[in-house]
Amino acid sequence: MSEELETTSGQQYLDKDFSVELNFKFWTTKGARFVASHRFKSINKLSSYSLGFLSAYLIILGLLSVFEIGPELLISTKHFALISTSLSILILVFSQLEGSNDYRLRAEKFHDCALEISELYNKLRYLKTSSMKQDEINKLSEDLSIEYSNVLKKYENHKYIDFLMFQTTKNDYFKLNWLNIGIIKLRYYLNTQFLYHVLIIVPPILIYWLIK
């Protein structure tokens, strides 16, 4: 959260009382964690799709060799077999690496973390709207802060891009213009979806070129 509190919008809360600062932390962190959960769900889906498509493309390459369509004009049968085998190994390694990332599990954990912080946020909001004195609110806020720290210790930290994407959902509050939003969404796309789209789209183009 250190990077998040360095933003202009966050800095103004550091100059106010502790409960106001804590309210901002709860709000931004739970928002960023929900975004992180969505990001990992998206990556998990695209990862499955890309592995499926890559396997299908590999089968298609094998069929091209069997029916002697196109590739024999460019490379020898032995070289084509070597390329197919190498691609099979690369896909196997890629699938193992993707599986080790546990995208679905991490998405669930980020979602659970966001829900826990949301509960703390609601408690703090209730305190601030109650008839308690400020000293009492600050004391209970300190207890909530300890609970908040314990929650954060249980989970992986989100990426800064998750916080930036959360800002785009509250662009009026964070004073983002269309250019800021566009740059953030581009960064998010490059970090989340670009690689998988390349793996899905580029191979059939290469196969078509090989046949032609």
Side-chain angles (χ1 to χ4, degrees), residues 75-89:
I75 55 179
S76 67
T77 303
K78 290 182 178 180
H79 287 158
F80 186 77
L82 176 61
I83 292 174
S84 297
T85 303
S86 300
L87 289 175
S88 298
I89 295 173

Side-chain angles (χ1 to χ4, degrees), residues 34 57 93 102 141 196:
F34 276 127
Y57 299 149
V93 172
D102 291 326
S141 296
Y196 300 103

Side-chain angles (χ1 to χ4, degrees), residues 37-184:
S37 175
H38 180 271
R39 175 168 58 85
F40 277 116
K41 286 179 181 178
S42 176
I43 292 177
N44 181 66
K45 181 183 294 185
L46 287 172
S47 177
S48 299
Y49 284 169
S50 62
L51 287 172
F53 277 105
L54 287 174
S55 298
Y57 299 149
L58 189 60
I59 294 174
I60 292 173
L61 282 176
L63 292 176
L64 291 178
S65 177
V66 170
F67 293 103
E68 299 182 347
I69 301 175
E72 75 279 4
L73 300 177
L74 300 176
I75 55 179
S76 67
T77 303
K78 290 182 178 180
H79 287 158
F80 186 77
L82 176 61
I83 292 174
S84 297
T85 303
S86 300
L87 289 175
S88 298
I89 295 173
L90 289 174
I91 291 175
L92 177 61
V93 172
F94 179 68
S95 64
Q96 291 179 335
L97 292 175
E98 288 293 281
S100 66
N101 284 316
D102 291 326
Y103 294 128
R104 180 181 298 178
L105 178 62
R106 293 167 75 182
E108 292 175 355
K109 286 186 174 296
F110 272 120
H111 189 265
D112 292 341
C113 179
L115 291 178
E116 290 188 38
I117 296 176
S118 182
E119 291 180 6
L120 299 179
Y121 175 72
N122 291 336
K123 289 180 181 179
L124 182 60
R125 296 292 296 173
Y126 174 76
L127 290 177
K128 292 176 67 64
T129 57
S130 67
S131 57
M132 292 183 180
K133 295 181 180 179
Q134 188 61 45
D135 291 340
E136 295 176 316
I137 293 177
N138 289 338
K139 177 60 176 65
L140 292 174
S141 296
E142 184 178 349
D143 295 337
L144 290 176
S145 178
I146 295 174
E147 290 186 50
Y148 171 70
S149 297
N150 291 333
V151 170
L152 294 184
K153 291 176 183 178
K154 291 164 39 182
Y155 299 98
E156 171 188 0
N157 192 18
H158 60 266
K159 290 186 176 181
Y160 189 54
I161 189 62
D162 297 317
F163 175 67
L164 293 179
M165 276 300 291
F166 168 68
Q167 286 187 334
T168 64
T169 66
K170 310 290 181 182
N171 58 296
D172 290 336
Y173 176 83
F174 289 101
K175 298 179 173 59
L176 300 178
N177 56 40
W178 64 269
L179 180 60
N180 299 139
I181 295 174
I183 292 175
I184 291 173

